[in-house]
């Protein structure tokens, strides 16, 4: 999540709305963890079990469902893992905006209305070259940063898969 937020904050004002949304979702989860039912929000499994048992996932409450908020972050993780994986496999002359647009089309666009898709397209068009993107995101040497991508994606995929399985088991992949 922090990687997502850093990525969007460092890539300019057009991505600021995405970073703000990520921070809002994190705040919701932190509020649940610090609330009177915080003991039920220690793991993804315990949170979902609690919210399903208490019909919290589908009923509107003052504080949005933790499951719903995590699902939004989970979808963002899918995008960033896929984007980083594709960046790592691309050539130096490939535009990061093209990679981001293709990745967005295959992931997050499935959950966004038309207007958000258009705003995302504009924001991605403004992404710098692959090399400049790495220089902005990482303070390492370019080749070292490229080498780290595979490790980061490999570490993130099992987390994504386990969370996906938990949401799928509870039929919560389509929360409104």
């Amino acid at each position: 999540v922090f990687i997502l937020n850093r990525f969007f904050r460092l890539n300019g004002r057009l991505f600021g709305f995405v970073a703000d949304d990520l921070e809002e979702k994190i705040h919701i989860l932190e509020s649940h963890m610090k609330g009177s039912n915080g003991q039920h929000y220690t793991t993804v499994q315990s949170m979902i079990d609690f919210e399903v048992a208490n019909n919290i996932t589908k009923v509107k409450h003052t504080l949005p469902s933790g499951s719903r908020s995590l699902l939004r972050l989970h979808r963002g993780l899918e995008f960033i893992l896929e984007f980083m994986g594709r960046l790592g496999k691309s050539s130096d002359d490939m535009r990061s905006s093209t990679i981001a647009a293709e990745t967005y089309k295959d992931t997050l666009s499935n959950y966004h209305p038309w207007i958000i898709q258009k705003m995302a397209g504009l924001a991605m068009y403004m992404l710098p070259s692959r090399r400049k993107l790495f220089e902005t995101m990482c303070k390492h040497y370019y080749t070292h940063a490229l080498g780290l991508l595979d490790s980061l994606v490999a570490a993130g995929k099992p987390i994504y898969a386990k969370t996906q399985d938990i949401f799928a088991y509870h039929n919560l992949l389509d929360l409104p």
Side-chain angles (χ1 to χ4, degrees):
V1 173
F2 297 109
I3 293 169
L4 279 172
N5 199 17
R6 177 175 167 76
F7 171 79
F8 293 120
R9 285 273 176 234
L10 290 174
N11 280 294
R13 280 190 248 180
L14 285 174
F15 280 107
F17 72 95
V18 178
D20 291 343
D21 188 54
L22 289 173
E23 288 173 6
E24 176 189 346
K25 302 297 185 260
I26 292 167
H27 176 71
I28 291 167
L29 291 170
E30 289 173 341
S31 295
H32 279 296
M33 292 171 72
K34 293 175 185 172
S36 60
N37 293 311
Q39 72 275 16
H40 299 290
Y41 290 83
T42 56
T43 68
V44 172
Q45 185 70 60
S46 66
M47 173 186 68
I48 290 177
D49 287 343
F50 173 74
E51 289 194 351
V52 167
N54 292 283
N55 200 31
I56 295 172
T57 59
K58 298 186 180 173
V59 176
K60 292 205 177 209
H61 294 273
T62 312
L63 186 61
S65 157
S67 299
R68 181 184 182 281
S69 299
L70 181 62
L71 181 60
R72 300 315 187 262
L73 293 171
H74 176 68
R75 290 172 179 166
L77 178 62
E78 178 188 27
F79 168 79
I80 203 73
L81 288 173
E82 186 64 27
F83 177 63
M84 285 193 260
R86 291 180 187 191
L87 265 181
K89 292 179 176 88
S90 65
S91 63
D92 275 340
D93 60 340
M94 192 71 175
R95 293 182 45 149
S96 63
S97 59
T98 302
I99 298 167
E102 290 169 356
T103 304
Y104 177 79
K105 182 178 176 263
D106 294 341
T107 59
L108 287 174
S109 74
N110 297 313
Y111 310 105
H112 290 163
W114 180 85
I115 189 72
I116 299 295
Q117 290 178 20
K118 296 305 170 194
M119 290 172 55
L122 176 62
M124 285 180 273
Y125 181 77
M126 304 300 286
L127 283 173
S129 68
R130 178 181 151 181
R131 181 176 288 277
K132 183 69 176 164
L133 181 66
F134 276 97
E135 289 170 358
T136 301
M137 289 295 298
C138 308
K139 300 303 175 203
H140 301 284
Y141 293 106
Y142 178 65
T143 53
H144 179 70
L146 272 176
L148 293 174
L149 275 184
D150 286 338
S151 299
L152 184 61
V153 171
K157 283 193 174 192
I159 295 164
Y160 176 84
K162 180 63 176 173
T163 305
Q164 181 78 4
D165 289 346
I166 293 169
F167 275 102
Y169 177 81
H170 291 283
N171 295 315
L172 297 176
L173 288 170
D174 294 320
L175 287 175

